[in-house]
Amino acid sequence: MTTIRLTAAQAMVKYLSVQMTEEGEPFLGGVWAIFGHGNVAGIGEALHAERDAITTYRGHNEQTMCHAAIAYAKQSGRRRAMAVTSSIGPGATNMVTAAALAHVNRLPLLLIPGDVFANRGPDPVLQQVEDFSDGTVSVNDCFRPVTRYFDRIMRPEQLLTALPRAFRTMTDPAECGPVCLAFCQDVQAEAHDWPESFFEPKIWRIRRPYPDPVELAGVVDLLKAAEKPVIVAGGGVHYSGATEALKAFVEKHRIPVVESQAGKSALAWDHPMNLGPVGVTGSSSANVTCAEADLVLGVGTRFQDFTTGSWNLFKNPKRRLVSLNVAAYDAMKRGAEPLCCDAEVGLEMLSEALGETRFAEPDPALKTEWFAAVDPLTARPEGNELPTDQQVIGAVQRASGPNTVVMCAAGTMPGELHKLWKAPRPGAYHMEYGYSCMGYEIAGAIGIKMAEPDRDVVCMLGDGSYMMANSELATAVMLGLKITVVLTDNRGFGCINRLQMSAGGAEFNNLLDHTERAQASNIDFAAHAASMGAAAVHVASIAELESALERAKDAAGPFVVVIDTDPYPSSEPGGHWWDVAVPEVSEREEVLEARKAYEEQVKMRAGG
Ligand SMILES: Cc1ncc(C[n+]2csc(CCOP(=O)(O)OP(=O)(O)O)c2C)c(N)n1
Ligand SMILES: [Mg+2]
């Protein structure tokens, strides 16, 4: 056997650089790195040596580097991913939140934190947490519940099994998620004689599981017996590349589609079978369709609480639930009839078995009424009042084209965008709403732009999200990445303030004016963004926003537009109830009132 003598870190990097997609591209679009004593000497040296084969990017925070990597994978439809390496201790635990984000969203991410010395020579090394009763524990054990595969590399040759398992996990459609290879610092630097074959390029084909024939026949029978079916399209439609198959399916069989946050843009917004966004942040057209449906066919959806309206949404007592999902876990949820397979394959096989079965035309008035209710919210305002977030969305929509990707994760915007954004084609809408993690936005926009450099990326974020994580804006400047950031400054956590009020709570500790303070807050966001090298402008009206967005089109790098908005309005029509537990006991009359309304809803869910 021919062998090559390399350190464990060198072997890992060499292996990483030759893992390929079916399309012939490297599976990893690069490695994000912040070095410290846990990875600079070993992994750092190895990355430098292979810098022509795999690019290393430096960010400013381990969590947000992961956000960029995750957004890259999401925008790539999980066909590509990125790795992120950190030092031991704080660098590593900074990535735990991002690991959870990738886990919830079922997105591939390769985490390579440094770990303590396997030989325990310097024990306890700088930043080592000491467990008094368990010598095998390090902070990296925090990754176990938030990764799909965890391994600790304590001997070089363990990589021979760990690395293929890592790629298997990231490219498995059902088990896809983050992987953590916690790499002991001393082991990174240790040499080993590696079989040459280990470094031969390998193609990772993402399999398309076919359905079990009995399951398929059962679902076909249910569909044939249905009168008013509806499809809930989730993120799996995108990850399977099934948007064309979905379109063909619903056109042939005339089944209305409603979209979850992750599913949005599966069908063009104006497609007659697209009844709009579903759930808490949904449209009346979609939610009425779901309430009346006698069969709900989920395709690639986790049926998350926001999508299902805390399960109050599907009201028809005869309603049957079918879940077409590549993961058996999701296919069996809530007593659903499972159709466990790939979305594209499943839709095509279902269609064939359904033959000419065709359902009744959805009532076109549903959409007409919905747009009549919400279009005025996004229209250009006539007066000079403080703009609303909905008017900001309208301005951004008017300035965008078929090439635009609008993205966001937390705050007011996700709900409003789910309702109001008109996505013209698949991939035009990128929402991280599995974890809805504040601080995903700017770094996420970087990842999207890296995945699809030809797209125009518009990052929508609130002042709260900006304050939580903005430093990768400097990375976007350095990398010359042209992204447009629209920052709505409503002086605090507007959406949570509204949620607090709706639960009968006093306005407390959300808007900056309602906080403990010696001095009022007055942040100049445009100056802050400009200090990092971004083009940045504060605009005073929707009209000014529109002209700034025009100028943003000619910018070479990131362009930040800051606009003050009203923290109180949200678009009322359409959305469904959301289970947010209201206190049973309170001195506030408003809370007791809200509790009554809450109990009513809970009773309705129980069928009362
Ligand atoms: C990391 C994280 N912490 C807390 C939350 C809970 N949360 C959701 S939205 C939000 C406030 C967002 O404020 P901002 O970005 O200004 O958006 P706004 O609602 O004001 O438009 C908070 C605290 C979260 N989603 N993520
Ligand atoms: Mg805000």
Side-chain angles (χ1 to χ4, degrees), residues 463 490 492 494:
D463 55 305
N490 58 9

Side-chain angles (χ1 to χ4, degrees), residues 536-557:
V537 54
H538 181 276
V539 297
S541 66
I542 294 294
E544 281 186 26
L545 171 61
E546 292 195 49
S547 65
L549 290 171
E550 282 309 312
R551 274 180 283 141
K553 288 177 182 163
D554 300 324

Side-chain angles (χ1 to χ4, degrees), residues 313-576:
L313 193 54
F314 310 117
K315 289 211 185 89
N316 186 332
K318 287 192 296 187
R319 181 268 292 169
R320 299 295 298 264
L321 187 64
V322 178
S323 181
L324 193 175
N325 205 294
V326 75
Y329 182 92
D330 298 303
M332 306 294 288
K333 267 183 187 159
R334 293 272 173 162
E337 203 62 44
L339 185 57
C340 189
C341 62
D342 170 70
E344 186 185 63
V345 167
L347 286 170
E348 282 168 359
M349 293 182 78
L350 266 183
S351 187
E352 199 171 324
L354 282 174
E356 296 310 309
T357 309
R358 218 165 144 74
F359 297 92
E361 192 90 49
D363 179 0
L366 284 173
K367 276 180 85 169
T368 319
E369 281 164 20
W370 165 248
F371 287 116
V374 289
D375 279 347
L377 302 177
T378 52
R380 202 177 276 127
E382 277 162 22
N384 281 332
E385 68 274 20
L386 190 59
T388 64
D389 293 326
Q390 295 75 22
Q391 289 163 350
V392 171
I393 289 174
V396 175
Q397 183 96 57
R398 290 189 289 279
S400 70
N403 214 28
T404 304
V405 184
V406 70
M407 68 85 61
C408 190
T412 300
M413 279 299 172
E416 297 299 325
L417 288 166
H418 191 213
K419 280 189 179 189
L420 304 175
W421 190 258
K422 295 172 173 169
R425 63 162 165 142
Y429 183 85
H430 179 122
M431 187 63 63
E432 188 288 286
Y433 210 64
Y435 216 42
S436 188
C437 186
M438 289 171 73
Y440 174 83
E441 292 89 348
I442 290 173
I446 290 175
I448 296 169
K449 190 70 182 171
M450 289 172 112
E452 293 198 303
D454 296 336
R455 295 260 202 161
D456 303 321
V457 183
V458 181
C459 166
M460 311 282 276
L461 85 164
D463 55 305
S465 255
Y466 183 90
M467 290 304 286
M468 202 170 275
N470 54 61
S471 56
E472 301 305 356
L473 191 57
T475 310
V477 172
M478 280 184 73
L479 293 174
L481 294 175
K482 182 173 149 47
I483 54 173
T484 304
V485 177
V486 178
L487 197 168
T488 43
D489 180 8
N490 58 9
R491 307 181 51 72
F493 302 151
C495 64
I496 307 298
N497 187 57
R498 292 192 302 274
L499 182 62
Q500 187 171 48
M501 290 163 75
S502 73
E507 291 186 77
F508 169 60
N509 207 48
N510 280 309
L511 298 187
L512 292 163
D513 281 348
H514 304 146
T515 56
E516 191 69 26
R517 67 199 191 283
Q519 198 182 310
S521 166
N522 186 18
I523 303 161
D524 186 341
F525 288 100
H528 186 268
S531 77
M532 285 188 272
V537 54
H538 181 276
V539 297
S541 66
I542 294 294
E544 281 186 26
L545 171 61
E546 292 195 49
S547 65
L549 290 171
E550 282 309 312
R551 274 180 283 141
K553 288 177 182 163
D554 300 324
F559 192 102
V560 179
V561 194
V562 184
I563 183 164
D564 296 355
T565 60
D566 187 338
Y568 291 104
S570 66
S571 48
E572 292 305 326
H576 205 276

